Amino acid sequence: MVNSIEELREIKSSQADVRSLRETGGGKGKVTEVLVGLATCGIAAGGKETYTAIEEKIAELGLDDIRMVKVGCIGSCYCEPTVQINAPGKAPVYYGYVDEAAGREIVEKHLAKGEVVEEKVVNMTFNRTDPVKAKKRQLRIALKNCGNLDPEMISEYIAFDGYEALAKVLRDYKPQGVIDILKESGLRGRGGGGFPTGLKWQATFDQPGNEKYMICNADEGDPGAYMDRSVLEGDPHSVLEGLTIGGYATGANHGIIYIRAEYPLAIERLNIAMAQAREMGFLGKNIMGSGFDFDIEMRLGAGAFVCGEETALIHSVEGKRGEPTKKPPYPSVQGYKKKPTTVNNVETLANVPQIILNGSGWFSSIGTEKSKGTKVFALVGKVKNVGLVEVPMGTTLREIIYDIGGGMANGKEFKAVQTGGPSGGVISSENLDTPIEYETLRAIGTMMGSGGMIVMDEDNCMVDIAKFYLQFTMDESCGKCTPCRIGTKRMYEILDRITKGKAEPDILHKLDRLANNIKISALCGLGQTAPNPVLSTMKYFEEEYRIHVEEKKCPTGSCKGLFKYWILPDKCVGCTACRRVCPVGAITGHPKQIHIIDMNLCISCGLCFDTCKFNAINRG
């Protein structure tokens, strides 16, 4: 049980060797560490098997002074499984694509003989502390500990200043003082709209009464987004500490983490972290002898996208249907159990301890005038280096995609990048030099969102992309308001007609009008932003829409419904493969005779084209 900041620092001092070894440049002890990435991405790529292979090879060779460490995601998801070697007095060596055989080779050469296995070395493009030295523009604040400590060992979190911010707050600050630091830092919500965190905390603090709540929104539902999951899997204590500091600042004694049940590893590690925090006195009664009581419980969500909206989330936590309500009143006034409630997302809370430790001036010096600090993005899609990146606000899209992401995969041309998930929009090549800021992204028709960033190349059809996102929001609509429930369905139906060559000449005018009406009339933010993918693709790729509607063609060949299929008599051998896969019976013919496609029945699904081994089916 830790009762003071002095006792906390004693524990930290006992872990000095661990910290020094993992600091850039190595450490001074005798132990060499082997860090293996075992977040969901690493495990899926075979990280557990790699860990076991390395462990067994070390035992087989009888190597001493080697410590195996299970860490979270380091961010380089494109080259999982990853292994990091920290040897005394030497800079860390990062290995990627480490399967079981490569793991054993690393033990035999690097650990046993000191020979680096060069063909498996990957370059990490981030800096954990200094923005000036940040290689290729990455700087880690929220991801500071991810991939650098064992998330199931609270002693390792303490070694890297863990819970020192909480101890400092309880010893040196009154609640209003903490809120003032957050205000001065310029931290804004990282979950979507970018509302100033300090103002949100102030609103809850100003409400009368002793029963207040802090909620962590870990309901990450955007397609392609996994930033929050990685933080919870790799550094759960940072979120617990941020949530507890928020409770102290706002006057709340009860915290809730609302997380989707599809994140079993994050849930497991959060449970371990909460148990450890209670055991050491960082949660519970009279935390560190301060007289402040605060504890946290976890609630599992069923994966409804709408429950990412704070009022719908609160209803779900209360055991009700996850539907949003009109604001005001805001949750800070009337939230969980009708009591003042603060809702912050995972990344926002992970920033809080670092701001307290380093000061508001440090945080506000990073980023731009209106968007301070860093932002974590899940960089996915048609880019070489898929993974998590954390960059200072103001970094351009070009820098993220080409300098950090390594450029486009397979030598294709960049076409667009989708930010903000289903609530965001696409950004074309003409805006690649746009700095990442809340206001600038909003000005070009998209938004920051939680941090999904999906890169698309010349083979992606923008009409089809808009249709994909509309299908998602249509399916995920809670159904409470007509503009979202009916409007998104009508938008999807229009896009479906366009991609099947059934659109009337004035369809684009109707689509634009419908989208803008939904934008101003839907109940919650999710409904209001649902048209963004449509409006942004229509704005930047108008010609592509026109070709679909007027010429009934898809320039990229993605929309199969616009193709016509016919059989080439001189190549058809009558194998019947195409006839057997046709779902509507549009193909007729006897074995070893030429087959025919009935164009009146054909639905242009493309199955016959994909199945034919003799190139006997043509399309156009």
Side-chain angles (χ1 to χ4, degrees), residues 354-481:
Q354 296 304 312
I355 293 172
I356 298 298
L357 287 176
N358 296 290
S360 58
W362 164 80
F363 190 82
S364 64
S365 70
I366 303 167
T368 65
E369 182 182 355
K370 294 183 178 180
S371 299
K372 305 295 186 182
T374 59
K375 181 71 188 79
V376 180
F377 291 97
L379 184 64
V380 298
K382 307 288 187 67
V383 66
K384 290 179 181 177
N385 300 339
V386 170
L388 287 181
V389 303
E390 184 173 3
V391 294
M393 293 285 194
T395 303
T396 67
L397 291 161
R398 187 184 301 276
E399 289 169 338
I400 294 175
I401 294 169
Y402 287 94
D403 293 346
I404 299 173
M408 303 302 294
N410 302 318
K412 298 285 187 176
E413 288 292 321
F414 171 86
K415 187 171 186 178
V417 56
Q418 172 85 13
T419 64
S423 299
V426 301
I427 301 169
S428 65
S429 57
E430 66 185 86
N431 290 312
L432 264 181
D433 293 310
T434 299
I436 300 292
E437 298 175 290
Y438 292 98
E439 284 72 25
T440 54
L441 290 180
R442 197 173 294 122
I444 59 175
T446 184
M447 62 187 296
M448 187 86 69
S450 60
M453 187 174 285
I454 302 176
V455 180
M456 293 166 277
D457 66 16
E458 58 193 89
D459 293 336
N460 289 109
C461 170
M462 291 299 103
V463 183
D464 191 52
I465 290 295
K467 179 182 171 182
F468 165 79
Y469 280 111
L470 254 295
Q471 182 171 21
F472 180 87
T473 50
M474 176 184 71
D475 291 342
E476 292 292 337
S477 172
C478 75
K480 185 174 183 179
C481 76

Side-chain angles (χ1 to χ4, degrees), residues 255-259 266-267 270-271 274 296-300:
I256 299 169
I257 297 176
Y258 182 83
I259 182 171
I267 293 167
L270 273 172
N271 278 321
M274 286 190 291
I296 299 171
E297 65 174 306
M298 200 185 314
R299 300 287 180 86
L300 304 187

Side-chain angles (χ1 to χ4, degrees), residues 45-74:
K48 281 187 175 181
E49 291 76 12
T50 296
Y51 183 96
T52 301
I54 292 173
E55 193 174 44
E56 290 176 349
K57 195 64 179 179
I58 290 171
E60 178 188 325
L61 297 180
L63 302 180
D64 297 323
D65 295 327
I66 294 176
R67 180 166 56 225
M68 297 287 292
V69 184
K70 299 176 182 179
V71 299
C73 177
I74 201 169

Side-chain angles (χ1 to χ4, degrees), residues 13 33 90 96 130 163 187 277 377 436 450 466 475 513 544 602:
S13 178
E33 287 188 329
K90 298 180 181 179
D130 190 344
Y163 290 106
L187 176 65
F377 291 97
I436 300 292
S450 60
D475 291 342
R513 183 180 176 187
E544 199 162 320
C602 178

Side-chain angles (χ1 to χ4, degrees), residues 499 557-565 603-606 610 619:
T499 58
S558 301
C559 301
K560 292 184 177 181
L562 291 175
F563 284 117
K564 300 298 182 185
Y565 295 86
I603 59 173
S604 300
C605 66
D610 296 335
R619 69 180 184 184

Side-chain angles (χ1 to χ4, degrees), residues 30 32 63 67 143 170 306 316 327 335 339 474 533 593 620:
K30 295 181 180 180
T32 293
L63 302 180
R67 180 166 56 225
L143 297 178
L170 296 177
V306 72
S316 181
K327 297 180 283 191
K339 301 297 181 182
M474 176 184 71
Q593 294 183 6

Side-chain angles (χ1 to χ4, degrees), residues 250-401:
T250 60
N253 298 112
H254 190 82
I256 299 169
I257 297 176
Y258 182 83
I259 182 171
R260 50 183 47 217
E262 293 97 325
Y263 282 180
L265 184 59
I267 293 167
E268 178 186 342
R269 289 180 176 169
L270 273 172
N271 278 321
I272 292 171
M274 286 190 291
Q276 292 173 340
R278 289 190 191 100
E279 184 179 350
M280 297 197 72
F282 301 128
L283 289 177
K285 300 288 185 181
N286 192 26
I287 296 174
M288 284 189 271
S290 65
F292 171 59
D293 302 338
F294 189 81
D295 210 341
I296 299 171
E297 65 174 306
M298 200 185 314
R299 300 287 180 86
L300 304 187
F305 179 67
V306 72
C307 287
E309 195 278 335
E310 59 183 2
T311 60
L313 181 155
I314 289 170
H315 290 150
S316 181
V317 172
E318 292 173 334
K320 301 173 184 175
R321 183 185 175 108
E323 292 181 335
T325 52
K326 190 173 182 179
K327 297 180 283 191
Y330 293 94
S332 291
V333 177
Q334 189 179 101
Y336 180 62
K337 296 183 178 179
K338 307 297 182 184
K339 301 297 181 182
T341 304
T342 306
V343 182
N344 293 128
N345 95 315
V346 169
E347 185 184 342
T348 307
L349 293 170
N351 275 283
V352 171
Q354 296 304 312
I355 293 172
I356 298 298
L357 287 176
N358 296 290
S360 58
W362 164 80
F363 190 82
S364 64
S365 70
I366 303 167
T368 65
E369 182 182 355
K370 294 183 178 180
S371 299
K372 305 295 186 182
T374 59
K375 181 71 188 79
V376 180
F377 291 97
L379 184 64
V380 298
K382 307 288 187 67
V383 66
K384 290 179 181 177
N385 300 339
V386 170
L388 287 181
V389 303
E390 184 173 3
V391 294
M393 293 285 194
T395 303
T396 67
L397 291 161
R398 187 184 301 276
E399 289 169 338
I400 294 175
I401 294 169

